Amino acid sequence: MGFIRPAPKLIMPGWDSMAWAVGLLMSYWFRTEFDATQIDLPGLLRISVVAIGVQLAVGIWFHIYRGRYWIGSIDEALNLARVTGLVGVLVFALDSLVAHPWVPRSVPLTATLIALSIAGAARLIVRLYQEHQARPTSIAAQRVIIFGAGAAGQQLVRSMLSDTASGYLPVALIDDAPKARGKRVAGVSVLGGRESIGEVARATKAHLLVFAVPSASAPIVREVSRAAIDSGLGVKVLPPLSELFRPWVGFSDVRNLDILDLLGRRQVDTDIAAIAGYLANRKVLVTGAGGSIGSELCRQIHEFGPAELMMLDRDESALHGVQLSIYGSALLDSPDVILADIRDAEAVKEIFNARKPDVVFHAAALKHLPMLEQYPVEAWKTNVLGTLHVLEAARAAGVTKFVNISTDKAANPTSMLGRSKRIGERLVAEAADGASGTFLSVRFGNVLGSRGSVLTTFAEQLAHGGPITVTHPDVTRFFMTIPEAVQLVIQAGAIGSPGEVLVLDMGAPVRIIDVARQLMELAGRSARIVYTGLREGEKLHEELFGDGEDRDRRPLHPAVSHVSVPLLTPMQMFDIESVIGPSKALVELTTEPVLAVPDLLPPPGIAALAPPS
């Protein structure tokens, strides 16, 4: 929609002048009860000239002819009303002050309303014409259904209709509120609720659904997007206003539906810069530094200016990748990269004794559930013995902070992966009991985008044309992003108490089938979904907390729970393993009594944190 400036400059002043002339004539005519012979033409001519002169003077004074306002807008209408009203008052005053009034005193007052109507009608017609010209055509634009007839949806409709370049033509609105049914926004009707998506899509021949309820929860986003996809519609979303830099929305703000929209919550964003001071000028060692979590840990730790960052992994190619991502080169000839296997107790001990790290993040682990079900002894060697080796070396070297990375599968574990990580949590709790530093664990769910995660697996299957394999149509998992996971790990070192496990509140679990469908939508291609059945040790629904763990103890952060686990000494562990072997020991050592949670106090100098943004 344009300003008045592109039009010839005399059109609107001339039109307003004509409006006053017509208004005065019609008002006089009404005053004489439609008897034109009673009209004093010289008097009418005099007052018309005066009215036109006053209109032009006042109009110029109030800048209504300089293109300051959008033509036909509310602002222009209000300014036009002020100008016309003032002109009417001045003309009435002049007519009353002369010795012989030019016209009856009621004529200027009535003429004011007529002139305002004529002047306003012209502007409205221009606006409607411009809107019609700017309206996208169904040939050049996608036909769009907008879900949400609230303020955001209404702004979006008007924005799409006001620019031929928008590429969107709204053909219907969908809203669950019964009171919205049948209403129209810029000529676009509200045709039903979410249950009507398929029917409306067929009736309007729409191509796309835009989700325009920025405050909606992820379950609603999932349900609506699923219905849209099943109806053959593409899906886009309008981000929350908090993500924009202005209080209104337009078609340019519409973006593709992201996997993160299905998390069931807003992404937790912790101001770790305010609490990660314990990393600055300290020697920090990360095990499993080449993995998805380990490499991101290294990148973020590097930003806090550690005195030395030591990256340990048994995979030389992974070390090459993380060094390259941090420094822009990877010669692998510097002491910051350490090639070692945590299964080698002597090697780990030598590294800690020689390098004397202050802070340790233990991310090295085997993590693929079906593989460890097939080879449970490998889970024992890496996730149990490897963790013990790192713990003992860290305690002997006087490490002040030790953060062990665990998994939600350690809560009421049923798999060898979960059992091995649960034993790791118990060993960390025991090590904390006699350590001079703070030793603790962090537990979280599936990490979106990590190597071997369901997302990367689906993406690879989709790239090859499918099929996409899902274990069960109802299987759910907790998800978090890599940045969230790393923030929680770094935060844990600042706020965790010795021996406890920190658990992130990850909202509602997400159905894996929804992730698969959304990935197909994002990729713009489809594939057959094949259900393979739950694997040995795999749960239909994961848990974040084990039996007896207090999920409501959140003393420092509203999204982080602090729980305790039973201690397990290495002697107890080896006594059982020596009798029944590693595989059975994994089961025996995770059959635990219910443990009461003690009072957990924040570490010295750490205040309660603000809620997550």
Side-chain angles (χ1 to χ4, degrees):
M1 193 181 300
F3 288 104
I4 191 63
R5 192 177 295 125
K9 292 184 178 181
L10 297 180
I11 289 181
M12 277 305 167
W15 181 268
D16 292 346
S17 299
M18 183 273 296
W20 269 107
V22 172
L24 287 165
L25 174 62
M26 292 183 65
S27 177
Y28 206 160
W29 189 41
F30 295 156
R31 177 68 175 76
T32 62
E33 297 182 352
F34 311 106
D35 185 358
T37 61
Q38 298 184 35
I39 296 177
D40 180 1
L41 291 177
L44 177 62
L45 182 60
R46 291 189 194 97
I47 198 169
S48 297
V49 171
V50 170
I52 291 171
V54 174
Q55 168 67 34
L56 295 176
V58 175
I60 292 172
W61 180 265
F62 279 81
H63 308 295
I64 66 171
Y65 303 127
R66 293 188 179 181
R68 171 174 290 185
Y69 303 101
W70 294 103
I71 184 117
S73 66
I74 296 296
D75 289 334
E76 189 191 37
L78 293 174
N79 201 39
L80 179 64
R82 284 194 294 267
V83 169
T84 308
L86 180 57
V87 172
V89 170
L90 293 175
V91 172
F92 172 79
L94 289 172
D95 187 52
S96 300
L97 291 175
V98 295
H100 301 286
W102 300 315
V103 296
R105 291 185 178 88
S106 62
V107 170
L109 299 179
T110 308
T112 301
L113 299 177
I114 299 174
L116 177 60
S117 300
I118 295 173
R123 288 162 171 81
L124 180 60
I125 290 171
V126 172
R127 173 171 176 159
L128 292 175
Y129 174 76
Q130 289 180 339
E131 287 184 348
H132 178 74
Q133 291 297 106
R135 186 183 180 96
T137 64
S138 56
I139 298 175
Q142 295 187 74
R143 299 173 67 85
V144 177
I145 296 172
I146 295 177
F147 184 87
Q154 294 177 31
Q155 290 178 25
L156 195 58
V157 168
R158 293 190 174 95
S159 174
M160 289 178 173
L161 291 175
S162 66
D163 192 339
T164 53
S166 74
Y168 301 110
L169 177 64
V171 294
L173 283 155
I174 295 286
D175 198 289
D176 288 335
K179 63 181 180 181
R181 308 291 167 83
K183 291 186 176 181
R184 295 168 69 86
V185 177
V188 181
S189 299
V190 181
L191 298 182
R194 76 182 73 172
E195 72 283 351
S196 307
I197 289 176
E199 179 183 347
V200 173
R202 289 188 295 271
T204 59
K205 298 180 180 179
H207 311 106
L208 180 70
L209 181 141
V210 176
F211 194 93
V213 187
S215 61
S217 64
I220 295 177
V221 177
R222 290 198 296 267
E223 182 180 345
V224 171
S225 63
R226 188 184 310 130
I229 292 170
D230 291 344
S231 302
L233 299 172
V235 181
K236 291 182 181 292
V237 296
L238 198 63
L241 292 178
S242 60
E243 296 181 13
L244 305 176
F245 293 101
R246 58 183 185 277
W248 69 89
V249 298
F251 67 84
S252 61
D253 298 313
V254 173
R255 61 168 171 78
N256 289 328
L257 184 65
D258 192 273
I259 289 291
L260 297 181
D261 293 312
L262 307 178
L263 277 178
R265 56 185 169 80
R266 296 296 177 202
Q267 182 169 330
V268 176
D269 186 13
T270 303
D271 183 14
I272 58 172
I275 58 176
Y278 69 94
L279 299 174
N281 300 314
R282 308 297 293 279
K283 295 197 290 184
V284 183
L285 185 145
V286 179
T287 71
S292 302
I293 299 297
S295 59
E296 180 63 20
L297 259 173
C298 291
R299 284 188 286 270
Q300 292 203 24
I301 291 169
H302 175 70
E303 297 299 320
F304 292 109
E308 184 179 4
L309 175 59
M310 295 167 272
M311 300 176 287
L312 185 151
D313 203 293
R314 67 177 183 177
D315 185 340
E316 57 183 345
S317 297
L319 286 174
H320 177 275
V322 66
Q323 189 181 51
L324 183 63
S325 70
I326 294 175
Y327 302 107
S329 64
L331 301 178
L332 298 180
D333 59 355
S334 55
D336 60 330
V337 287
I338 303 173
L339 187 62
D341 192 332
I342 61 171
R343 293 185 179 193
D344 188 339
E346 286 302 316
V348 172
K349 184 178 179 180
E350 289 178 7
I351 291 168
F352 274 73
N353 286 339
R355 307 295 290 273
K356 297 293 184 183
D358 301 304
V359 181
V360 173
F361 293 98
H362 178 46
L366 297 177
K367 65 176 184 178
H368 288 284
L369 184 148
M371 185 68 75
L372 298 186
E373 289 298 309
Q374 188 176 0
Y375 302 104
V377 175
E378 298 303 308
W380 177 267
K381 290 178 180 177
T382 297
N383 296 354
V384 176
L385 294 183
T387 296
L388 180 61
H389 297 157
V390 177
L391 278 170
E392 290 179 335
R395 191 158 64 171
V399 168
T400 58
K401 298 278 187 181
F402 184 101
V403 182
N404 170 55
I405 297 177
S406 187
T407 170
D408 57 358
K409 294 172 178 59
N412 295 329
T414 58
S415 64
M416 292 302 175
L417 168 59
R419 294 182 187 280
S420 64
K421 298 299 281 186
R422 177 64 170 182
I423 294 172
E425 290 180 355
R426 296 186 61 185
L427 290 172
V428 171
E430 190 280 332
D433 192 45
S436 58
T438 301
F439 285 52
L440 58 114
S441 297
V442 179
R443 184 191 297 169
F444 45 73
N446 291 35
V447 179
L448 286 171
S450 63
R451 286 190 301 181
S453 70
V454 65
L455 190 61
T456 55
T457 300
F458 287 169
E460 186 69 19
Q461 291 175 331
L462 191 59
H464 289 86
I468 288 180
T469 55
V470 179
T471 56
H472 190 282
D474 296 322
V475 67
T476 64
R477 291 293 180 263
F478 292 99
F479 284 101
M480 67 190 312
T481 65
I482 290 178
E484 279 183 314
V486 170
Q487 286 177 15
L488 178 63
V489 171
I490 294 177
Q491 177 181 272
I495 70 173
S497 296
E500 66 184 9
V501 178
L502 272 61
V503 186
L504 175 69
D505 180 359
M506 290 179 283
V510 179
R511 289 203 315 165
I512 297 296
I513 187 65
D514 289 334
V515 176
R517 287 172 174 164
Q518 192 54 53
L519 186 62
M520 285 189 278
E521 169 62 21
L522 294 176
R525 61 174 68 181
S526 60
R528 186 165 56 96
I529 295 176
V530 175
Y531 297 105
T532 59
L534 291 174
R535 297 164 292 189
E536 185 70 24
E538 191 172 28
K539 297 178 182 178
L540 185 63
H541 306 294
E542 289 290 1
E543 305 165 86
L544 291 176
F545 302 90
D547 295 338
E549 294 181 344
D550 185 1
R551 69 185 63 206
D552 295 323
R553 183 170 290 277
R554 305 180 181 189
L556 300 173
H557 195 293
V560 179
S561 297
H562 297 234
V563 302
S564 292
V565 296
L567 308 187
L568 176 65
T569 67
M571 183 176 296
Q572 291 171 322
M573 184 184 76
F574 286 124
D575 284 347
I576 293 175
E577 186 268 340
S578 64
V579 175
I580 61 177
S583 298
K584 292 182 179 179
L586 285 168
V587 177
E588 181 66 24
L589 291 169
T590 49
T591 305
E592 308 155 359
V594 175
L595 180 72
V597 179
D599 291 335
L600 300 176
L601 299 176
I606 299 295
L609 300 179
S613 58

